[in-house]
Amino acid sequence: MHKTGKKTFADAQTLSKKTNRPIVLVFAGSDWCAPCIKLDRDIWQSEEFKKYAEENYVLYKADFPRRTANKLSEGIENRHKLLADKYNSKGYFPLVVILNVEGDKLGETGYKKVTPNEYISVLNEFLE
């Protein structure tokens, strides 16, 4: 989900402002949370979602892996914890938060067993 130029959430915010696109902030546990893994496989990795998101959203994944082999650097881990404190204080996984260019929360959702296009519709409801 990370692309060149969006290594940190601050980079995502800069890109959001520059392109006037909302941020889709994803809190996930990529190696322990079954719904997170399904969301990644069924939605984020789908061609329909990737193509739509490329033109309409700025995606940022705040991952919280638990296995030692998948451990993130301490700096990234700390930045993700700060994001969670601000946008995911209840610790839900997965949690998908839609933010406007100012960083204000427009809405949130989680895993849904729907098609990628239906998921896009759910996200876009927060933008109206």
Side-chain angles (χ1 to χ4, degrees):
M1 193 172 283
H2 291 285
K3 291 220 180 262
T4 309
K6 278 192 305 191
K7 291 190 168 60
T8 67
F9 186 69
D11 295 333
Q13 287 177 303
T14 299
L15 184 59
S16 171
K17 286 181 179 170
K18 192 167 126 186
T19 59
N20 199 33
R21 290 183 292 180
I23 295 175
V24 176
L25 171 59
V26 182
F27 290 95
S30 63
D31 63 4
W32 59 270
C33 165
C36 300
I37 294 164
K38 286 179 186 169
L39 184 61
D40 187 63
R41 185 188 62 219
D42 298 346
I43 306 297
W44 309 140
Q45 297 304 321
S46 72
E47 286 308 312
E48 302 98 315
F49 186 84
K50 286 197 280 194
K51 187 172 178 161
Y52 186 87
E54 185 76 27
E55 296 174 8
N56 296 279
Y57 306 137
V58 174
L59 300 175
Y60 188 82
K61 187 175 186 180
D63 195 16
F64 290 82
R66 288 185 180 163
R67 293 194 188 123
T68 306
N70 301 328
K71 191 159 176 54
L72 302 171
S73 75
E74 194 174 321
I76 293 172
E77 200 172 277
N78 287 336
R79 286 197 297 266
H80 288 180
K81 284 179 182 167
L82 289 172
L83 281 174
D85 288 345
K86 184 170 184 178
Y87 296 110
N88 189 6
S89 59
K90 293 185 177 131
Y92 293 139
F93 288 90
L95 183 69
V96 180
V97 182
I98 314 307
L99 305 169
N100 67 14
V101 296
E102 302 304 321
D104 300 321
K105 187 190 289 190
L106 301 175
E108 62 185 44
T109 188
Y111 172 72
K112 293 181 180 310
K113 193 174 169 77
V114 296
T115 68
N117 286 328
E118 288 169 327
Y119 204 88
I120 289 166
S121 294
V122 169
L123 298 179
N124 285 343
E125 282 177 24
F126 299 120
L127 304 175
E128 294 173 354

